[in-house]
Each structure stands twice: as C-alpha cells, then as structure tokens.
Amino acid sequence: YEIYHSLHLSSDIMKEIESYKSILATVLYTDDAFRSFFNEYKKRKDFGNTIFFITGDHRMPEIPIVTQIDRFHVPFIIYSPLLKRTARFSSVSSHFDFTPTLLAFLKNECKMEIPNESVFIGTGIDTVRQFRNIHSYPLMRNKNELIDYLDKEYFLSDNILYKVQSDLGIDKINNDTKSGSINNLFNEFKRRNDQFIKTKRLAPSN
C-alpha cells in the first residue's frame, strides 16, 4: 500500500486501491517475480538472443469490469535484449494474432520453413501506435460461451451493438445493417467451429 502512496495518485484512485488492497498486492508480487526471473535468466548464455512474450488469458475477475469488452483487456509485452528502443502500441490485437506473427518472424529472420496455407483465425499483431482495430474475431467470456464478437470498431455482445472507443469504452448504438453483417460473420464462425468438432479437420483433405 505504501508503494502506491509513493506514486502520488489522486484520492479517488487511492480509495479504489484501498478497496482492493489484497488483490493489487499480487500485482506487486508479480513485478517482483518477473524481476527475479529475468535476473536469473541473464546468467544464461542464450539470454542475449532470446525474445520473451508475456501476456495473460484473462483480466482480474476480483475487480469488477467497467464494460463488457473490458473483461478481455489483458497486457501483452514483448521483451528482449535485442530490442534497441521501447514502443507502446495502442492498436487492438488478440491471442489469435500471436502465433501467425511469431511464425512470420521466424520465417523472415531465421528462414524457417512453414506451410504456405494456414487455418489461423488471427492475421497478425497490429503494431500501429494509435488506437485502431483491423481485426474481426469471436471473444469467449467463459468456457463454451460464445456471445461476443469484435469486428473493427464494433462490438456485438448479447446481440447488442456497441461502438468501441479509444479507451475501450463502449457506446450502445442502433444500426441494424451493421448488426446483421456482424451476426453473419459470427454465425459463419460458429458454423465452421461446429464443422471442425464433427469432422476433426481444420482444412479440407487434398
């Protein structure tokens, strides 16, 4: 708690921190755990050419969400001694985009051979600095619960359409045409998902 005090935060934020003091203590513990991990890893010979990817699979549920899309907001950090400068990206990406990005990097930088065709849902991490979303994909709140879909700057949740703002706030809007097009995308995903469950094939056989 004293650490948060030293940051000279507003009284409203400090009151919020006081409400979740025990939960936020785990954030400080995590910082210490990462610090310890990297200090130990620096002793390894391969540290100098290692790239670390750090993320989470969900936000802290103990702290109430602000909006329905807030539940999906998690940090994503890329760290490496190979990096020459720091950067912060405000564009939207998801776990779907991680693997195609990593494989593309390994192909270009390490000449790794990868298939010409893939069945990835994601299209790659967007590294534009300002806020935007060029992706379109489903979001799963809980296990086997598919009721949310993000398409560009629009978010469909429980069949309610929202416009996503740069701070990840959402505004409810009425646009039957857009709702219909996003529902079509969502239904197509669910159709392909069901087809995979039945056939156990991600792509047609040759």
Side-chain angles (χ1 to χ4, degrees), residues 11-144:
S11 58
D12 288 342
I13 294 178
M14 287 303 300
K15 186 177 180 180
E16 191 82 2
I17 289 173
E18 177 66 29
S19 301
Y20 303 104
K21 184 165 58 176
S22 61
I23 303 301
L24 292 174
T26 66
V27 176
L28 300 178
Y29 170 80
T30 302
D31 284 349
D32 286 339
F34 277 127
R35 186 177 298 108
S36 176
F37 170 79
F38 285 119
N39 284 337
E40 287 300 311
Y41 211 99
K42 286 178 182 178
K43 300 174 184 178
R44 295 171 52 118
K45 293 182 179 179
D46 59 352
F47 173 73
N49 64 348
T50 300
I51 302 173
F52 300 88
F53 301 92
I54 305 166
T55 188
D57 63 347
H58 62 276
R59 72 184 296 283
M60 299 177 73
E62 294 82 4
I63 299 178
I65 62 172
V66 178
T67 67
Q68 288 298 345
I69 203 170
D70 180 48
R71 68 172 68 245
F72 303 108
H73 190 198
V74 296
F76 178 63
I77 302 169
I78 302 173
Y79 167 69
S80 175
L82 297 169
L83 293 173
K84 303 303 181 183
R85 56 188 172 84
T86 61
R88 183 185 182 95
F89 308 120
S90 297
S91 49
V92 175
S93 295
S94 87
H95 297 84
F96 286 128
D97 301 303
F98 171 74
T99 302
T101 298
L102 179 59
L103 290 179
F105 173 81
L106 293 174
K107 178 182 179 180
N108 293 331
E109 298 295 326
C110 305
K111 309 307 177 185
M112 176 182 285
E113 293 186 8
I114 62 174
N116 292 324
E117 296 182 356
S118 71
V119 292
F120 294 124
I121 295 174
T123 55
I125 295 170
D126 186 8
T127 56
V128 167
R129 303 293 181 86
Q130 70 270 20
F131 174 81
R132 73 171 186 177
N133 178 33
I134 60 174
H135 303 292
S136 179
Y137 27 52
L139 300 172
M140 184 176 286
R141 290 191 199 179
N142 301 300
K143 185 177 180 180
N144 299 325

